[in-house]
Amino acid sequence: MAQQSAHSERKYPCERCPLQRSKTFRDMTSREIGFMSRFKRGELAVDKGAIVLAEGARNPHLYTILFGWGFRYKLLPDGRRQIVNYVMPGDLIGLQGSLMGEMQHSIETLSPMTLCVFERGELMSLYREHADLAFDVTWLTAREECMLDENLLSVGRRTAIERLAYLLAFLVSRGRGVGLFNGAPPQLPITQQHIADTLGLSLVHTNKTFRKLVDRKMLRPLDRGCVVLDVEGLMSLARWEGSNEDTRPFI
Amino acid sequence: MAQQSAHSERKYPCERCPLQRSKTFRDMTSREIGFMSRFKRGELAVDKGAIVLAEGARNPHLYTILFGWGFRYKLLPDGRRQIVNYVMPGDLIGLQGSLMGEMQHSIETLSPMTLCVFERGELMSLYREHADLAFDVTWLTAREECMLDENLLSVGRRTAIERLAYLLAFLVSRGRGVGLFNGAPPQLPITQQHIADTLGLSLVHTNKTFRKLVDRKMLRPLDRGCVVLDVEGLMSLARWEGSNEDTRPFI
DNA sequence: CGCTTACTTGAGTCTGGTCAAACGGGGTGG
DNA sequence: CCACCCCGTTTGACCAGACTCAAGTAAGCG
C-alpha cells in the first residue's frame, strides 16, 4: 500500500494544495502545512454517482473535498429520502462519523470528485498539536450547523417557490465562494429529483414550481441541471439576506 | 464586578457542577475542572419566556445550561417562525455566534433557566491548553448537527402525525438522557404553537394531529404541555430508531 | 433501435392551510 | 368578589397547495 513517507505519488501535495490557491481560504503556516502533510493519508478519486460515505458505516477516514460536488442525505426505512445539504470543495466530511461512531447520513457525488483522505484516529493528535487547526474544525462544524438551520427554516416555513428560490441562491452563493463558476453563469449539476428531495416536495410539484421560475427568466433549464440567471431576484423572492463569508478555514 | 479569584458567590462551583452528578456526562479530571473554573465568568439565572440570545446580536459570552428548557429558532422577515431545536441541561449555546460573528438564531426559555457563563475571547485558550475539552466542544457541535439532520428529515419527509410522533419521542429521549424526568412520566412544557413552529405545520392542523395521538392514548394533554404515555409507540409510528448515547462530554 | 433516465403535463384527490368562532382557566383591576 | 380579558386550545367549514396517478416526450447510450 502507498506509504506517506515520500508522498511521491501525490498529485496534490499539501504544499501545493489546490484549495490554497483560492483566496477564500485562509493561509496556513508552513508548520501547519507540514502537519497536514503527515496527517494526510492519501487521495481518493471517485466517479459521479458514487457513494463516498454510507449511513450506518464505520469508516476510519475523514475527508476534505478538493474537487467536485456532492450531497448529504438521510433515508427513512420505506425509502423516502431527504437531502440535508450539499458538499463542495473545502468541506470536511465524515467528521460526524468519527465522533459518534457510525455515520448517520450518506454522501453521494454529483460529479467526479477528488478527496484528501485523513485518518480518523489521528484527529486527536491534531487537537493536541495544533489548536488553531482544531479551532478550524469546530468552525467548519458550526458553519454546517448554520446552513442546516437555514435549510430547516426553508423547508419548515417557506412556500414551494420560496424554497426553490432559496435553494438555488444558496447553492450559487456557496459555489461562488469556492470559485466553482469562475465568472461563468452559475450552472448547477442537480436534477429536479435532487431538488425535490432537498425541499421536501414531490417531483411533480417541483417541476411545476421550477417552470414558474423559468417563465420568470430567473432560471434556464439544462440537461440534468440548470443555469441560474438572476441570483438577486431569487434572494429577494426567498427573503434571504445571504451569508457573508469572507475568508474561511479549511483542513 | 464579581471577580473569579474566590468564586465566593457562586451557587454552583465547577468542583460541584450539578451536571457532574448525572452519570450521563463524562467525568472531568481535576486539572480540567480547575481550568473550567477559571474559564467560567459567572452564573446567569433567567425567567421563563426570556430571550437568552437574540438573532443578529454580538454577545461576548458562551453558555452551558445547568437547569431548564428552551428552544432555538429563526424568523423570516414577515414573522414566520421556525424552531430548529430545543436546548436542555448540558447543552453549550452561543458558540456559533462566537465563531461566525453574530448570532444567526435566537434562544428563548421554556422554564426558568440557570446558565454557566463563559467568555467568548477565552475560547482559544481552551483550545490551546486543553485539547480534550476542545475535542468535546467539537463533539457537542457535531451532535447538534446530527439532531438537525434528523429534524430536517422529519420536516421534509414525514407526514404530520409522524412528525409529531418523532418530535415527542425525540424530546422525551433527550430529556431522559439528562435526567429531566427522573422516573416520573415525561412531561413536556411546550404549547401546541411551539409544536407547530417546530414541525412546519399550522396551529390548527397541529391541534387536530395532536388529538389523534391523544385518542390513541399515546399522549395526555396538560395545561401548556403534555405527558407522553407511549414513547415506544411514538417511535415506531415515526419509524425512528432512537439515538444511542451512553456518556457524553460537556463543557 | 430499443432501453433507460429525466422532464412535462393534465386530471383528480387529499393533506394541510385559512378563517371564524367559541371554550375554559388564570390573572387582574374595579 | 366578580367581570373581563388574555392565552392556549378546540372545532367546523371551506379552500388551496401539494400529492398521486398516468401518460407522453426527449435525449443519451449500449
Side-chain angles (χ1 to χ4, degrees):
Chain A
M1 280 283 92
Q3 289 307 307
Q4 72 272 31
S5 47
H7 313 319
S8 50
E9 77 297 353
R10 287 190 183 173
K11 282 180 71 177
Y12 310 103
C14 297
E15 303 77 38
R16 295 194 302 280
C17 178
L19 296 176
Q20 281 278 10
R21 274 203 289 269
S22 163
K23 60 180 179 304
T24 311
F25 296 104
R26 81 165 175 86
D27 288 337
M28 280 196 180
T29 65
S30 58
R31 184 171 160 264
E32 283 169 341
I33 292 176
F35 179 85
M36 288 312 298
S37 190
R38 269 172 289 126
F39 185 34
K40 180 169 175 176
R41 271 305 115 90
E43 287 155 10
L44 179 64
V46 295
D47 288 336
K48 172 175 168 173
I51 292 178
V52 180
L53 291 165
E55 196 167 340
R58 292 177 167 273
N59 188 312
H61 297 120
L62 283 177
Y63 308 87
T64 285
I65 298 174
L66 295 179
F67 305 106
W69 294 72
F71 60 94
R72 206 159 69 72
Y73 65 97
K74 287 174 77 78
L75 294 172
L76 247 17
D78 61 5
R80 282 175 281 179
R81 178 175 78 168
Q82 177 66 39
I83 295 180
V84 293
N85 203 0
Y86 290 81
V87 298
M88 298 184 189
D91 288 353
L92 178 68
I93 64 178
L95 176 68
Q96 188 242 50
S98 298
L99 299 178
M100 326 294 276
E102 63 182 42
M103 293 297 300
Q104 306 289 312
H105 59 254
S106 308
I107 295 187
E108 185 177 324
T109 57
L110 289 165
S111 70
M113 183 182 279
T114 304
L115 305 107
C116 199
V117 185
F118 306 112
E119 197 77 27
R120 179 194 282 202
E122 294 296 314
L123 190 58
M124 201 57 225
S125 71
L126 182 150
Y127 272 70
R128 264 190 290 269
E129 297 169 36
H130 286 271
D132 290 334
L133 293 177
F135 200 81
D136 290 346
V137 171
T138 308
W139 193 97
L140 289 170
T141 315
R143 171 171 169 274
E144 179 74 20
E145 181 186 320
C146 202
M147 291 190 279
L148 289 171
D149 287 349
E150 287 271 10
N151 278 296
L152 199 43
L153 172 65
S154 203
V155 175
R157 286 303 180 210
R158 282 196 248 248
T159 65
I161 200 165
E162 288 171 345
R163 280 183 226 185
L164 179 54
Y166 164 73
L167 175 64
L168 297 169
F170 169 73
L171 289 175
V172 170
S173 154
R174 281 189 66 192
R176 278 190 179 147
V178 293
L180 275 181
F181 313 118
N182 43 263
Q187 193 170 320
L188 304 175
I190 53 176
T191 68
Q192 295 184 16
Q193 184 66 64
H194 292 123
I195 297 179
D197 286 347
T198 310
L199 304 183
L201 297 171
S202 72
L203 177 59
V204 173
H205 196 66
T206 297
N207 177 267
K208 286 168 184 170
T209 309
F210 191 90
R211 290 270 110 210
K212 285 184 194 170
L213 289 187
V214 172
D215 291 345
R216 291 204 202 181
K217 308 219 187 309
M218 301 173 110
L219 198 56
R220 189 148 43 82
L222 217 64
D223 181 44
R224 288 145 201 259
C226 61
V227 176
V228 177
L229 302 175
D230 180 7
V231 185
E232 311 293 313
L234 292 171
M235 285 174 68
S236 82
L237 176 54
R239 293 183 188 73
W240 184 51
E241 314 287 337
S243 59
N244 48 335
E245 258 177 32
D246 29 343
T247 76
R248 44 170 284 204
F250 70 105
I251 297 294
Chain B
M1 281 280 93
Q3 290 306 308
Q4 72 271 31
S5 48
H7 313 318
S8 49
E9 77 296 355
R10 287 189 184 173
K11 281 180 71 178
Y12 310 104
C14 297
E15 301 78 39
R16 294 194 303 280
C17 178
L19 296 176
Q20 281 278 11
R21 274 202 291 266
S22 163
K23 61 179 177 306
T24 310
F25 296 103
R26 82 164 175 87
D27 288 337
M28 280 195 182
T29 66
S30 59
R31 183 170 159 265
E32 284 170 341
I33 292 176
F35 178 86
M36 289 312 297
S37 190
R38 271 172 287 126
F39 185 34
K40 180 168 174 176
R41 271 304 116 90
E43 288 154 9
L44 178 64
V46 295
D47 289 336
K48 174 177 167 169
I51 292 178
V52 179
L53 290 166
E55 196 167 340
R58 292 178 168 274
N59 189 312
H61 296 119
L62 283 178
Y63 308 87
T64 285
I65 298 174
L66 296 179
F67 304 107
W69 294 72
F71 60 94
R72 204 159 70 72
Y73 65 98
K74 288 175 77 77
L75 294 173
L76 247 17
D78 62 4
R80 282 175 282 178
R81 179 175 78 170
Q82 177 66 39
I83 295 180
V84 293
N85 202 359
Y86 291 80
V87 297
M88 300 185 187
D91 288 353
L92 177 67
I93 65 179
L95 176 68
Q96 189 241 47
S98 297
L99 299 178
M100 327 293 278
E102 62 182 41
M103 294 296 299
Q104 306 289 314
H105 58 253
S106 308
I107 296 187
E108 185 177 324
T109 57
L110 289 164
S111 71
M113 182 182 280
T114 305
L115 306 109
C116 200
V117 184
F118 306 112
E119 197 77 26
R120 176 194 286 202
E122 294 296 314
L123 190 58
M124 200 58 226
S125 72
L126 181 148
Y127 272 71
R128 264 191 290 270
E129 298 169 38
H130 287 270
D132 290 334
L133 294 177
F135 200 80
D136 290 346
V137 171
T138 308
W139 193 97
L140 289 170
T141 315
R143 171 171 169 273
E144 180 74 19
E145 181 187 320
C146 200
M147 290 190 281
L148 288 171
D149 286 349
E150 287 270 12
N151 279 291
L152 199 43
L153 172 64
S154 204
V155 175
R157 286 300 180 211
R158 282 194 247 248
T159 65
I161 201 165
E162 288 170 346
R163 282 184 224 185
L164 179 54
Y166 164 72
L167 175 64
L168 297 169
F170 169 73
L171 289 175
V172 170
S173 155
R174 282 190 64 191
R176 277 187 179 149
V178 293
L180 274 180
F181 313 118
N182 41 264
Q187 193 170 318
L188 303 175
I190 53 175
T191 67
Q192 294 185 14
Q193 184 66 64
H194 292 123
I195 297 178
D197 287 346
T198 309
L199 304 183
L201 298 171
S202 72
L203 177 58
V204 174
H205 196 68
T206 298
N207 176 266
K208 285 168 185 170
T209 309
F210 190 92
R211 289 272 111 209
K212 284 184 193 167
L213 289 186
V214 172
D215 291 344
R216 290 205 202 180
K217 307 217 187 309
M218 301 174 110
L219 197 57
R220 188 149 42 81
L222 219 63
D223 181 44
R224 288 144 203 260
C226 60
V227 176
V228 176
L229 301 176
D230 180 7
V231 185
E232 310 293 313
L234 292 171
M235 285 174 67
S236 83
L237 177 52
R239 292 180 188 76
W240 183 52
E241 314 288 335
S243 59
N244 48 336
E245 258 176 32
D246 29 344
T247 77
R248 46 172 281 204
F250 69 105
I251 297 292

